[in-house]
């Protein structure tokens, strides 16, 4: 396959389990007479440090917060406290490595996929793009599940599966649109609704914890290493900001300030997530393990108080708004990536048939191909939602299988390839460009120690990533086996009764 042509649109994304779907559209080329004006305009369009902090925070806020109280229940009070500290430290370290990779070629590396391509060519691009956009489509499936389960409660005449199908059919024509000029407004509405969900979770948790006869038990630590692995994958799922970091950095006026921006943003995110997770766990304790997400727990308490019933209705409506607003925001980058892959494949076929074909592929797949590709992607999302209709299990699966790669393993591999592996590269915290005078974390006189500390930190990060992947996937398999065993037992019971 020929080298992938850089498109006029370069996608970067995070996990809504953070909100995924941020795109970067570079300025088009203009006449040389306007270059000076173009440079000043581009600089004015860049984000300040404060705007970048806000962008990074909004990237992490999404439906993934619904799984945080359950993650605290899996790890216990002490385990959750330790895992949150480990997760935020690991998230900052990995995004620092991505920032370092971008500094090797800041003009050409403007997306997460570009880093993979810089390391391993076209194969590296697809190595990143495939799991990244599988993550996007999995989040779309989570939204389908939330809509289906929520509407089945509001209007119980139809099943969750039927409501999921209604929602899919309704959204399908909208996914055929080639672009989304109103994406910012749509995303903003969804973020306001997500913030309302968070507030309701905290208030409902405090209210439930204050109920004298709640009967909920709590634990100090995890019940097993499997539960710890699942909890760790859920935490990292919430902290998955690495894929969108290149987009944020490329849009900053002062990219060298990113380490400080990352520290502040992750501190605010940790406070936000910690409040939600611990408030939910304080309210429902270990009973969260029997719930798909915190919404089920809030729903179970509505029979005990009028306030819990109000919380239940507010959270159901707010989640529906989140799902309706965010589906296209998250689906569009995956659709554009699929179209780009299709165009590359089509161009490669033409080159094989005719060597005189243009060297540059046509980025437009055509309206028929666009509709077919996007319909197939929507059908794939519906297949995931139908096969795994449990929100909590799908979050665990995505966190263990995809997030560990995107947030931990890939940044370490790319940093080793571009920075440590490059001739003359300097260790942790030192400027990649000699003479720039930029120093972070560790001074020059500690260069030897910093290199050792760097490799030790990367080794720990990889070990944690492997731990979360192995034990998380093992826990997911156990959950599916337990569900299948229970379902088979119910079938046998019903058959014997008849």
């Amino acid at each position: 396959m020929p080298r992938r042509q850089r498109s006029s649109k370069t996608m970067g994304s995070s996990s809504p389990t953070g909100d995924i779907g941020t795109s970067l559209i570079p300025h088009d080329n203009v006449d040389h007479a306007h270059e000076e004006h173009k440079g000043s305009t581009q600089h004015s369009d860049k984000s300040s440090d404060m705007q970048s902090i806000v962008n990074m925070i909004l990237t992490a806020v999404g439906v993934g917060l619904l799984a945080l109280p359950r993650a605290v229940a899996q790890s216990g009070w002490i385990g959750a406290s330790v895992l949150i500290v480990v997760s935020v430290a690991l998230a900052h370290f990995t995004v620092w490595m991505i920032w370092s990779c971008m500094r090797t070629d800041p003009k050409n590396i403007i997306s997460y996929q570009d880093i993979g391509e810089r390391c391993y060519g076209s194969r590296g691009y697809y190595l990143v793009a495939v799991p990244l956009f599988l993550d996007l489509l999995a989040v779309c499936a989570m939204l389908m599940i939330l809509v289906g389960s929520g509407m089945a409660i509001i209007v119980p005449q139809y099943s969750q599966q039927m409501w999921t199908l209604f929602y899919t059919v309704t959204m399908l024509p909208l996914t055929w649109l080639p672009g989304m000029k109103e994406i910012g407004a749509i995303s903003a509405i969804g973020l306001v609704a997500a913030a309302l969900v968070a507030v309701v979770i905290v208030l409902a948790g405090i209210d439930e914890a204050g109920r004298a006869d709640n009967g909920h038990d709590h634990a100090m630590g995890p019940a097993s290493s499997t539960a710890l692995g699942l909890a760790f994958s859920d935490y990292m799922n919430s902290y998955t900001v690495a894929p969108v970091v290149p987009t944020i950095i490329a849009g900053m006026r002062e990219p060298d300030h990113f380490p400080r921006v990352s520290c502040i943003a992750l501190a605010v995110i940790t406070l936000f997530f910690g409040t939600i997770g611990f408030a939910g766990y304080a309210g429902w304790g270990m009973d969260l393990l029997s719930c798909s997400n915190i919404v089920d727990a809030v729903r179970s308490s509505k029979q005990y108080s009028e306030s819990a019933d109000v919380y239940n209705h507010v959270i159901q409506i707010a989640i529906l708004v989140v799902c309706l607003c965010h589906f296209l925001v998250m689906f569009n980058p995956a659709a554009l990536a699929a179209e780009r892959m299709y165009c590359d494949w089509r161009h490669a076929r033409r080159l094989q048939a005719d060597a005189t074909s243009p060297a540059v592929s046509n980025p437009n797949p055509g309206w028929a191909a666009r509709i077919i590709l996007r319909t197939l992607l929507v059908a794939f999302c519906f297949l995931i939602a139908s096969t795994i209709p449990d929100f909590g299990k799908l979050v665990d699966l995505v966190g263990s299988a995809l997030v560990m790669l995107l947030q931990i393993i890939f940044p370490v591999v790319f940093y080793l390839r571009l920075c440590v592996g490059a001739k003359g590269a300097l260790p942790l915290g030192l400027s990649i460009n000699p003479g720039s005078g930029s120093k972070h974390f560790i001074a020059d006189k500690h260069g030897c120690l910093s290199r050792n500390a760097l490799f030790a930190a990367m080794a720990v990060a990889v070990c944690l990533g492997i731990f979360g992947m192995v034990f998380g996937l093992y826990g997911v398999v156990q959950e599916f086996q337990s569900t299948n065993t229970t379902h088979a037992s119910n079938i046998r019971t019903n058959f014997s009764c008849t």
Side-chain angles (χ1 to χ4, degrees), residues 1-6 117-118 121-122 344 359:
M1 180 177 292
R3 179 178 175 83
R4 183 191 65 84
Q5 182 209 8
R6 185 176 302 278
E117 184 180 25
R118 182 64 183 270
S122 296
D344 288 346

Side-chain angles (χ1 to χ4, degrees), residues 16 49 79 84 98 125 128 140 203 214 252 256 273 301 421 452 455:
D49 288 359
I84 287 179
I98 292 174
Y125 176 87
V128 176
C140 292
L203 293 177
N214 60 43
M252 291 181 63
D256 285 344
F273 285 166
S301 299
N452 294 334
F455 282 107

Side-chain angles (χ1 to χ4, degrees), residues 13-72:
S13 48
S14 85
S15 187
T17 43
D19 281 329
I20 307 178
T22 305
S23 63
L24 176 67
I25 306 176
H27 293 276
D28 295 330
N29 292 330
V30 295
D31 295 335
H32 293 291
H34 300 286
E35 286 298 323
E36 182 177 354
H37 174 70
K38 172 189 170 186
S40 61
T41 302
Q42 285 181 336
H43 184 76
S44 63
D45 289 341
K46 298 286 186 177
S47 301
S48 65
D49 288 359
M50 182 57 65
Q51 290 171 327
S52 300
I53 291 171
V54 173
N55 289 338
M56 193 167 175
I57 293 172
L58 296 182
T59 294
V61 176
V63 295
L65 59 86
L66 300 178
L68 288 174
R70 186 169 179 265
V72 177

